[in-house]
Amino acid sequence: GEPEISISEPFAAWEAEDQREQHHLRALDRRLRLRAHHKEDQEDQGRLTEGSQRSVKLVETSNLWAKLEEEDQEIEDKIVDLDDPRRPVDLRQYQQLNNMQDASMAQL
């Protein structure tokens, strides 16, 4: 008979790639929304009372934690990609991820 041709593996790989891209785009959207919101906050800050300014600081702190969580997720996604046995190991990429995480923690 004729040999079997498996098409499920390429489709599974494409689906995984699509999911990573969707996650990346969602994270980018959140970062851009936070950045726009932060810019609006800075413009409004001159008109705020002292109590409102404390509230803004709390929001900014919350936004910082949200950004750090997004970066953690991005790092985790990249590690999953780096651990793909079909790809060659590149220790420089692991080092870049480590440096990114160190820079994020320095912001605290």
Side-chain angles (χ1 to χ4, degrees):
E2 294 185 30
E4 284 189 32
I5 299 175
S6 174
I7 62 170
S8 62
E9 284 184 35
F11 282 109
W14 291 334
E15 183 177 14
E17 184 178 329
D18 287 346
Q19 288 174 349
R20 285 191 300 270
E21 182 67 17
Q22 285 178 351
H23 177 76
H24 171 74
L25 291 174
R26 283 189 198 111
L28 177 62
D29 180 61
R30 284 191 301 269
R31 282 194 309 275
L32 291 175
R33 288 175 188 267
L34 286 172
R35 187 179 298 157
H37 181 72
H38 181 69
K39 186 175 181 178
E40 290 171 4
D41 286 346
Q42 287 177 337
E43 292 170 355
D44 293 340
Q45 197 166 8
R47 299 185 294 258
L48 298 176
T49 65
E50 185 177 315
S52 295
Q53 287 178 353
R54 273 189 247 122
S55 296
V56 167
K57 289 290 183 192
L58 290 173
V59 168
E60 288 174 354
T61 302
S62 176
N63 289 345
L64 174 63
W65 283 110
K67 181 182 174 197
L68 290 173
E69 288 174 8
E70 288 175 15
E71 288 178 1
D72 282 349
Q73 185 62 51
E74 287 178 34
I75 289 170
E76 185 177 324
D77 292 344
K78 288 178 183 178
I79 288 173
V80 168
D81 288 345
L82 289 173
D83 287 341
D84 186 342
R86 296 170 292 185
R87 293 182 156 179
V89 175
D90 185 354
L91 296 178
R92 290 174 298 172
Q93 290 181 346
Y94 283 105
Q95 186 61 44
Q96 288 173 344
L97 295 175
N98 190 38
N99 292 343
M100 181 191 310
Q101 202 167 35
D102 289 345
S104 295
M105 294 310 292
Q107 291 179 6
L108 298 175

